[in-house]
Structures are given as structure tokens and as C-alpha cells.
Amino acid sequence: MMHIGSAVWTGLTVMTMLLLAQWDVGCWGMTLNSIPLRPASLRPFRASVGASLQRHKRNWVWNQFFVLEEYTGDEPLYVGKLHSDVDKGEGKVKYVLNGEGATSIFTIDENTGDIHATKRLDREEQAYYTLRAQARDRATNLPVEPESEFVIKVQDINDNEPKFLDGPYNAQVPEMSPVGTSVVEVKATDADDPTYGNSARVVYSILEGQPYFSVEPKTGIVRTALPNMDREARDQYLLVIQAKDMVGQMGGLSGTTSVTVMLTDVNDNPPRFSRKSYQFAVPESLPVASVVAKIKALDSDIGPNAEMDYRIIEGDGLGVFRVAPDKDTQEGVITLQKNLDFETKSSYTLKIEASNRNIDPRFLSQGPFSDTAMVRLTVENVDEPPIFSSPLSKMVVSEAAKVGTIIGTVSALDPDSTNSPIRYSIDRNTDLERFFNIEATTGVISTAKPLDREANAVHNVTILAIESLDPSQVGKGVALITVMDINDNAPVFAIEYETFLCESVVPGQVIETISAVDKDEPPSGHRFFFSLTAETAGNMNFTLRDNKDNTASILTKRGGFQRREQSMYRLPVLIVDSGTPALSSTNTLSIRVCDCDPDGTPQSCGTEAFTLSAGLSTGALVAILACIITLLVLVLLIVTMRRRKKEPLILDEDRDVRENIVRYDDEGGGEEDTEAFDMVALRNLNVVRDSKARRDVTPEVPTLYCSRPPPYKITPDNGIFREFIWDRLKDADVDPSAPPYDSLQTYAFEGSGSVAESLSSLDSLSTDSEQNYDYLSDWGPRFRKLADLYGHADSSNIFSS
């Protein structure tokens, strides 16, 4: 049989022993309910305590050990001892320990059964450990007794201070709250064992925040401690709350938290105007609904408690002004309701009241939550433009009115005290065609042009009224002129009718129903009368029937109409309106004779259709026409390609002077050289041409223009030049390789005024020229190059370069 005891208790003080004894006695009842007891034969072994601790009415609970937490000694902490009745002290039995913390936290001496704790324990981490003990035969390692289970409980000490897990706190309470109003509840927790001693018993106290607030020691509820705390004076308080364990006794641990208390607003302050009277100036030209002025009553409250209403309670401006609150600024905005007139009234006085919109009945005893102020509004005189007696004048005129007919009169006055004379005019942007005139001094409106209601039935004319003393002051009015209709338009066909008449028609058959339109608009509506003209009334082909509903029917008088005899009939129709005087017009109805199918649908009409039916069909004719067009296109393409395939035109280089250009950088012969050349020689050549003209060129006579007439006439000495021109023209006309168009060749000819005479190089074309240019050497260094070019020694090489 195995016993468990705690033998080494002699080192404990007497007080500790008594406390442990009391703790053991208190735990027995709990252990009896939660842990099964060992059989009565397993007696506890407490040799050191003595008989004074022995109970006779119930057995010891041997399967529990206790160990203090947070042990700080250097040696392992002795927990207790295991002993078996089998162990006779001969060393044949060894003790084995298993379970939670075995070998890592708790060790056992296998010879003696002593149990020690080798590590520091913390009850808040783990409150108890469950282990199993067994006695085994040292030689065979076989159990000599069944395995027994026991518990080691960690005994609590006060090693944890209270903590506010939800702190810091923020709270609100209305201002002016009575004493004892609950603000917030704070809560502190202590990790120590609440079932042992006072380690987890907490009390609350306030360290900062007095005398405004207090805290209940047991519950932690924060309450107001002073009455009439005013938000407008101070709106925030910072409290420091302490929680201390051991019921607040000396040596207990403590923790603190902060509580921020905000005082919320209540409507405890009435609005007040900063002044009792205000004065503002208002120009008389201020438009209606404009802001005149703004006033504001001050309220120390905020939010809805500061919302105000304004109203005019007295004064001569009722109906002229109104006041309304600005929801954003809580100002009283005074606006204009009617037009002002300095000449009529120059000042107004208003008594305006400002009152709180949301009133707290608790504070009505403090007085009315409203205030009043006087507002004086002075009207300033402004030079105003003229004002029409009627901004819109409606007038009526007949479209038959003659030019100069008076339509109506407008009038305007200067509202100012100066009473300036008024001059009237028409804004021509509203009367672009100038249909109307207005008399400048009287405002009489008359017609300036004939009117046409059908073109414009209503004229919206702007009338300008201008002060004579100050033309910058312009008033505007509108004259709405309505043009009344007269019967000045004859009725005509409503549409362009296209009437078909079948050859199979029978007498009395309706072939068309016609109607009419009239641009006029008589008050009683249109009424048209239809008839045939007097010339056609007795015809044998058609007749007309007036349907009395502004339509008429065209009927046949006979049958047997044939396209071969007559394919088209023209029937004059007379239409008369009901106006005064009545107007009429003759409209011609074209009737075509057609071949129709049995249903009366026209198939082919007129002589063209008859001719086509005698020969080829329409499809065949379209095909033939398409073939003809195709052949024409092919012929044009062939002609064009043949012209493009001609040999390129190559001119004789020996005879084409255009390809030989000689450039000279020397100066000219004189001022008259800049007077251009005479082209008359090209138009009036006195040489008869009898050469045969080219057939492939259409001769044209070009018209040559000169900027100014030549200062001289062609003399007989220019015969060589004319001979050259005619030779070139004859060669071009008979040359088959020349281009198939006329070309214009320009030749320069010097003026006759130069002392050096002509410097033309045309004579150099012939190497047999007898002209001598040696005199150029005598003219100085400027003509030396020409002398070298045209001298006898080099005359054969003029064009060699």
C-alpha cells in the first residue's frame, strides 16, 4: 500500500502552517466532489504535523499536493513524498512519475519517493498538473502496486495588478446635468485567483478629475459631482481612475486608466444681437429678389441648439422686404420683394426678431430665447432709364394698309426727378426689313413698307426710349404687331395632278378628284367653288362636278378615247374663293390617255408607247443603245492610242535657235534697252505666205499684249529679222515631226536708242556675214569681250561654246 505525505514541513512558520491547514480543510470539500477518494486503507502519512492535524470524522485527501507559484529559491522546491507499504527500506522498490510536467518540471527520487519542482511555476499560466505515480520492483521493473493518479495544484500569490482592458475611455454627458448623473462605467480585471484571499478583489478611486466627477469604489461607475457644469465655459475634462486589489489595503497592486469626458451642448443660451440698430443703403435700381443686407444674432450654443428663425415684426417695410435665415451661417438675410423708387419713398424701418428654433423647456425660466434689433434701410437715388407705361404693347394692322398708316403709340417716362424728355427709336435688329417707323418725340408707330401677312403674320418689334439729357439711359419696350389678313391670294390646285385616262373608260366615270389651297386665312374658313372655264364648258370630252366640300370631280362625257387619235388633253379649271372680293384662278389639268389592264391600272400612256409597241420592245431598244455607246467608246480609245504612238518630235539642232542659249554677263547698251521689244513685227509682217498649211493643226491667231507701246517703229533695216521669222514658221508648218500644237517663240530685239546700236546676235547664224565688229575694241574694256566674240578671227566659233 502506497502513502503520500508532505514530511518536510518543519521549516514553515506556525502562521504558514495554520494558513495551509485552513486551506486544506477548505479544499477537502471541493476535492471530495470533483476527485474520487482513494480507499480508506490508504492512510495519509503526516509524521511531522502530529496528531493535532488529524481528523477522525473523514479521511485525508492524499492525492493532492500544493506548491506556491513564483518560487525564487536556488534549490528545487520540495512538493511532497510518495511511499509504498511494500517498500521495507531494503532498496528493492523504485518510484516512477509520469504525466504533465513529469521529468521536465517535477522530478521524483526513485529511492525515497520525494517529489521536487525544478522550475518556477505561474498559476495564471497553469493552475494544476495531473501526474501518475507507481512503485516498481527494481530487479524486474514490474509494478508492485497499481498506478495511482494525483494532482499538484499551484497555490496563488498576489503577483498581478488590475488592468483596464477597455481603456482609455471616452464619454459624453450633457452640460448642466444634475449631480450623480452617470457618465461611464470602467472595469478592471485581475488575473489572480479570485477564490483565494483578496488578491483579485478590486476597488476603484479617482486620482484626477475632482471635484467635478466621482467614481463608485465597487462598481467603477463614474458620475457627475458638481451641478451646472457649463459647456460654454469648459467642454472637456480628463479623469484618471485607479483600480487597486487586496480591497485597497496596503501592499495591494494597482492600475490606472484615463477617461475623457466631453460636455455636450444643450440650448441654455438665448440668441443676442451684437447691436440694437443697423443701417444699410440700398440703390433704388436693385432688382427684385436681390440681397439687401445680412444681420446675425449670436448664440453660444452649437448645432441644432443654435438654429434661429428671423422675422419682421414691425416697420413700414412689410411687404417690400423679407428676412429669412441662412441655414449655413444662421444669418438673417434681408431680400427685396418689390421695386424701390427713391422719388416715392427714400427710407424704410424694420424691427427684426431672432429666436431659437429648438427650445429646451428646462431653461425657459432664464427668460425668452429671442432678441430684437431695428434695421434702417436708406434708398439711394439712381439715374434710371425710361420706363414704358406698358412693357408690352399689342397692335393690329391690316396687310392692305398703305405706307404711312398709323398703327399705334407707345409712351415712356423718366422715373427720375429730372424728368428728362424722351426720344423713341426702333431696334432695327428686330425690324431688319424696316417695315415700321416711329416718330421720335411722340412714339407714334406707322408702316414704312407694304405688309404681307403670308410672309410674316406677327412682328415683334423692340422700342427704345432714350433720355435726351443722358443718352446712355435707354429703356426697352415691346410692340407686338399682328398683321390682319385680306383676301389677296387666289386659290390654286393643292398638288400638281397627274391624271390618267384609260382607253376603256365609260361615260360618266370619275377620273380625278381635285382640291385647292389658298394662302389666305379667312376667319370663317375656306370655301372654294370649282367650274370649267367658259371656253371649255361645252366640250364633248369631260365635265366637272363641284362636291361642295372644297373638292371637285372630273368625269368623262364619252367613251372610246384612243391614244392614236389624241394622247393628251388639257382641261382648264376655274377655282373661285369666298373672300371679299372673291379671287379666282384658272388651273390646267393634264389628262393622259393610257392603255390599262382589266383593273384599270395604266400600262402605257401617250403616242410614245404606241410607237414603241409597233416596232421593238423597250428592252430591245435599251440593248441597242448600249451597244452604240460601247462602239463609240471603243472608237475614241483607238484614236487616242494612235495619237500617243506617234514618233517623238526631234527638231533639227542646226536650225533650232531655241536650243542654243548664249549668256552674257556684260552690261547693256543704254537706258532705252529696257523698254522691251516690239512684237508688232510678228503680227504685221509684209510678206505674203503661200506655203501649204499643215492639216493636223488648227491654225490659231494668238493675241499678243504688250505692257506699253513701243517707242519706235520697225524700219526696213529689219528685213533679215523678218526673213528669219518667216523661214522658221514655214519649216514648222510643213515639218511632219513638229508637235501637233502651235508654239509661241519669242525673240528679243534691242532698242534703237543705244549709241552702240543693236547688239543682236541673230546675224551670227550665218558664218558668211560681212558685218564688222572690230569697232567694239574702241569702246573700252566693257566691250572687249564682245569684240573678242564677234571679231573676224573668232566669228566662226560664236556658237561653239
Side-chain angles (χ1 to χ4, degrees):
M1 185 178 296
M2 186 169 61
H3 302 273
I4 300 176
S6 11
V8 189
W9 283 14
T10 56
L12 299 177
T13 63
V14 176
M15 181 63 70
T16 303
M17 291 176 63
L18 291 175
L19 288 174
L20 288 176
Q22 292 176 3
W23 187 90
D24 286 342
V25 172
C27 290
W28 289 342
M30 179 189 69
T31 306
L32 288 173
N33 294 330
S34 58
I35 303 176
L37 297 176
R38 298 291 294 172
S41 58
L42 297 179
R43 291 176 287 104
F45 179 68
R46 298 206 175 223
S48 302
V49 177
S52 62
L53 296 178
Q54 184 176 358
R55 285 178 175 267
H56 298 283
K57 292 185 179 181
R58 64 180 185 181
N59 291 322
W60 285 70
V61 182
W62 69 271
N63 58 344
Q64 288 188 8
F65 286 113
F66 302 93
V67 58
L68 289 174
E69 65 171 336
E70 306 296 344
Y71 174 70
T72 59
D74 295 334
E75 298 296 330
L77 178 63
Y78 179 74
V79 177
K81 182 180 182 65
L82 295 178
H83 182 72
S84 174
D85 293 341
V86 180
D87 185 6
K88 303 299 183 182
E90 299 173 352
K92 295 182 180 181
V93 176
K94 66 176 182 178
Y95 297 95
V96 179
L97 190 65
N98 295 308
E100 292 180 309
T103 69
S104 60
I105 299 177
F106 302 102
T107 61
I108 189 171
D109 189 331
E110 65 178 11
N111 296 319
T112 63
D114 293 335
I115 300 173
H116 293 81
T118 60
K119 291 184 178 181
R120 187 175 177 178
L121 303 179
D122 188 355
R123 189 200 68 83
E124 285 71 38
E125 292 182 2
Q126 187 166 348
Y128 63 92
Y129 298 85
T130 302
L131 295 98
R132 297 183 302 278
Q134 191 174 38
R136 292 178 176 271
D137 186 275
R138 187 180 297 277
T140 62
N141 200 30
L142 295 176
V144 296
E145 278 190 7
E147 188 176 56
S148 299
E149 183 178 88
F150 63 96
V151 174
I152 298 178
K153 287 190 174 183
V154 181
Q155 189 171 355
D156 183 45
I157 63 173
N158 188 20
D159 59 343
N160 292 278
E161 72 277 2
K163 294 182 179 180
F164 294 91
L165 301 181
D166 298 329
Y169 295 86
N170 291 286
Q172 293 181 343
V173 63
E175 63 173 334
M176 300 295 177
S177 295
V179 175
T181 301
S182 176
V183 179
V184 67
E185 181 180 0
V186 298
K187 185 70 175 178
T189 58
D190 196 319
D192 292 327
D193 189 357
T195 64
Y196 174 70
N198 296 323
S199 299
R201 295 182 62 185
V202 177
V203 294
Y204 301 94
S205 62
I206 183 168
L207 302 182
E208 295 182 16
Q210 294 175 330
Y212 306 102
F213 298 93
S214 63
V215 63
E216 293 184 358
K218 294 183 179 181
T219 62
I221 297 176
V222 179
R223 300 182 182 275
T224 57
L226 285 180
N228 302 327
M229 286 191 292
D230 191 0
R231 184 200 64 83
E232 288 73 30
R234 181 179 178 182
D235 63 350
Q236 180 175 311
Y237 296 84
L238 181 63
L239 314 181
V240 177
I241 306 298
Q242 182 189 68
K244 189 173 184 181
D245 59 13
M246 299 298 294
V247 201
Q249 297 178 0
M250 186 71 67
L253 303 179
S254 64
T256 61
T257 187
S258 64
V259 180
T260 301
V261 180
M262 296 291 298
L263 295 184
T264 59
D265 186 57
V266 297
N267 191 8
D268 58 337
N269 293 281
R272 290 289 180 264
F273 284 106
S274 59
R275 293 186 294 171
K276 285 300 180 181
S277 65
Y278 299 85
Q279 186 165 351
F280 301 98
V282 186
E284 65 172 336
S285 60
L286 192 69
V288 173
S290 299
V291 175
V292 175
K294 294 181 179 180
I295 60 175
K296 185 175 183 179
L298 302 179
D299 192 327
S300 300
D301 297 322
I302 58 175
N305 297 317
E307 293 179 356
M308 285 176 280
D309 289 322
Y310 295 85
R311 65 190 182 100
I312 301 174
I313 57 177
E314 291 181 10
D316 55 1
L318 291 171
V320 180
F321 303 93
R322 68 181 298 266
V323 62
D326 186 322
K327 65 178 182 179
D328 296 324
T329 63
Q330 296 303 316
E331 292 177 305
V333 182
I334 304 173
T335 56
L336 183 64
Q337 294 294 100
K338 294 181 179 180
N339 289 320
L340 300 176
D341 187 6
F342 173 82
E343 289 72 22
T344 304
K345 189 173 179 61
S346 60
S347 66
Y348 296 86
T349 302
L350 308 175
K351 186 176 183 180
I352 297 179
E353 179 189 65
S355 59
N356 276 137
R357 187 175 301 168
N358 305 304
I359 299 177
D360 193 334
R362 296 178 299 169
F363 304 101
L364 286 176
S365 59
Q366 299 181 9
F369 278 74
S370 62
D371 196 13
T372 60
M374 301 298 296
V375 178
R376 180 179 175 81
L377 301 173
T378 302
V379 180
E380 294 180 338
N381 188 23
V382 176
D383 192 4
E384 299 173 275
I387 299 176
F388 281 88
S389 58
S390 177
L392 177 62
S393 300
K394 296 182 179 181
M395 303 178 185
V396 176
V397 61
S398 172
E399 65 174 326
K402 297 181 179 180
V403 174
T405 301
I406 295 176
I407 303 173
T409 303
V410 295
S411 63
L413 296 175
D414 182 6
D416 300 316
S417 57
T418 57
N419 195 19
S420 172
I422 306 298
R423 295 185 62 84
Y424 302 94
S425 65
I426 294 177
D427 185 355
R428 292 303 176 183
N429 290 324
T430 60
D431 185 26
L432 296 175
E433 299 185 22
R434 297 179 176 267
F435 285 110
F436 307 99
N437 286 330
I438 187 170
E439 212 285 320
T441 58
T442 62
V444 175
I445 301 175
S446 60
T447 58
K449 283 183 178 181
L451 303 176
D452 186 2
R453 190 205 63 83
E454 288 69 36
N456 193 352
V458 178
H459 296 266
N460 194 335
V461 180
T462 299
I463 309 299
L464 305 179
I466 306 170
E467 290 186 9
S468 298
L469 300 180
D470 185 5
S472 63
Q473 298 298 325
V474 180
K476 292 184 178 181
V478 175
L480 195 65
I481 303 173
T482 302
V483 181
M484 301 302 294
D485 186 38
I486 63 171
N487 191 25
D488 58 344
N489 292 277
V492 295
F493 277 159
I495 61 173
E496 190 71 24
Y497 290 100
E498 185 177 6
T499 305
F500 300 99
L501 174 63
C502 294
E503 293 179 325
S504 59
V505 70
V506 297
Q509 182 175 339
V510 177
I511 60 172
E512 187 66 86
T513 299
I514 59 176
S515 62
V517 293
D518 193 331
K519 293 182 179 179
D520 296 322
E521 292 183 2
S524 58
H526 290 290
R527 176 68 177 94
F528 302 120
F529 304 94
F530 299 87
S531 64
L532 297 180
T533 61
E535 294 81 4
T536 59
N539 76 90
M540 302 303 297
N541 298 316
F542 306 99
T543 184
L544 182 145
R545 182 180 65 204
D546 193 335
N547 296 325
K548 308 300 182 180
D549 59 355
N550 290 338
T551 65
S553 300
I554 307 298
L555 300 87
T556 57
K557 281 187 175 182
R558 66 178 180 88
F561 290 92
Q562 295 295 327
R563 287 177 296 163
R564 297 179 182 179
E565 298 175 358
Q566 186 173 347
S567 62
M568 178 74 70
Y569 294 89
R570 299 189 183 277
L571 184 65
V573 178
L574 180 65
I575 308 175
V576 183
D577 62 18
S578 58
T580 304
L583 297 181
S584 64
S585 67
T586 301
N587 299 263
T588 302
L589 180 67
S590 298
I591 304 173
R592 301 178 65 183
V593 181
C594 302
D595 181 23
C596 302
D597 62 10
D599 296 331
T601 303
Q603 299 298 314
S604 58
C605 301
T607 56
E608 296 83 357
F610 176 77
T611 303
L612 292 177
S613 62
L616 299 174
S617 64
T618 302
L621 288 177
V622 172
I624 293 173
L625 183 59
C627 293
I628 294 173
I629 293 174
T630 303
L631 290 175
L632 290 176
V633 172
L634 290 175
V635 170
L636 290 175
L637 289 175
I638 292 172
V639 172
T640 303
M641 296 300 294
R642 289 188 63 184
R643 287 188 176 182
R644 291 186 178 180
K645 289 182 179 180
K646 287 185 177 182
E647 295 294 332
L649 304 176
I650 302 175
L651 300 177
D652 188 2
E653 294 181 0
D654 296 335
R655 303 180 64 186
D656 189 3
V657 72
R658 291 177 299 176
E659 298 296 323
N660 301 297
I661 301 174
V662 179
R663 178 178 177 181
Y664 303 97
D665 292 332
D666 294 45
E667 293 184 356
E671 288 294 327
E672 295 186 6
D673 288 347
T674 63
E675 294 182 356
F677 51 86
D678 187 9
M679 297 298 295
V680 177
L682 297 178
R683 299 197 299 268
N684 301 312
L685 297 177
N686 298 322
V687 178
V688 179
R689 297 185 296 168
D690 55 358
S691 302
K692 188 177 181 181
R694 288 178 52 185
R695 296 179 179 179
D696 60 337
V697 178
T698 301
E700 294 181 2
V701 180
T703 301
L704 304 177
Y705 297 91
C706 185
S707 61
R708 56 182 173 176
Y712 59 90
K713 296 183 179 180
I714 300 300
T715 63
D717 296 337
N718 294 319
I720 297 175
F721 178 66
R722 291 195 298 271
E723 287 288 338
F724 170 75
I725 293 296
W726 281 119
D727 290 342
R728 300 303 293 168
L729 289 175
K730 287 190 291 183
D731 293 341
D733 287 341
V734 299
D735 186 5
S737 63
Y741 51 84
D742 291 340
S743 60
L744 176 62
Q745 302 184 32
T746 304
Y747 302 94
F749 189 83
E750 295 181 354
S752 61
S754 176
V755 295
E757 296 182 355
S758 177
L759 297 180
S760 174
S761 61
L762 295 177
D763 290 340
S764 63
L765 291 173
S766 173
T767 58
D768 298 330
S769 175
E770 296 179 358
Q771 188 174 358
N772 187 4
Y773 295 96
D774 293 339
Y775 61 86
L776 294 175
S777 301
D778 300 331
W779 288 358
R782 291 186 177 181
F783 296 93
R784 185 172 299 168
K785 187 171 183 65
L786 288 176
D788 294 340
L789 291 173
Y790 290 94
H792 287 294
D794 299 332
S795 61
S796 60
N797 298 325
I798 290 177
F799 294 99
S800 62
S801 59

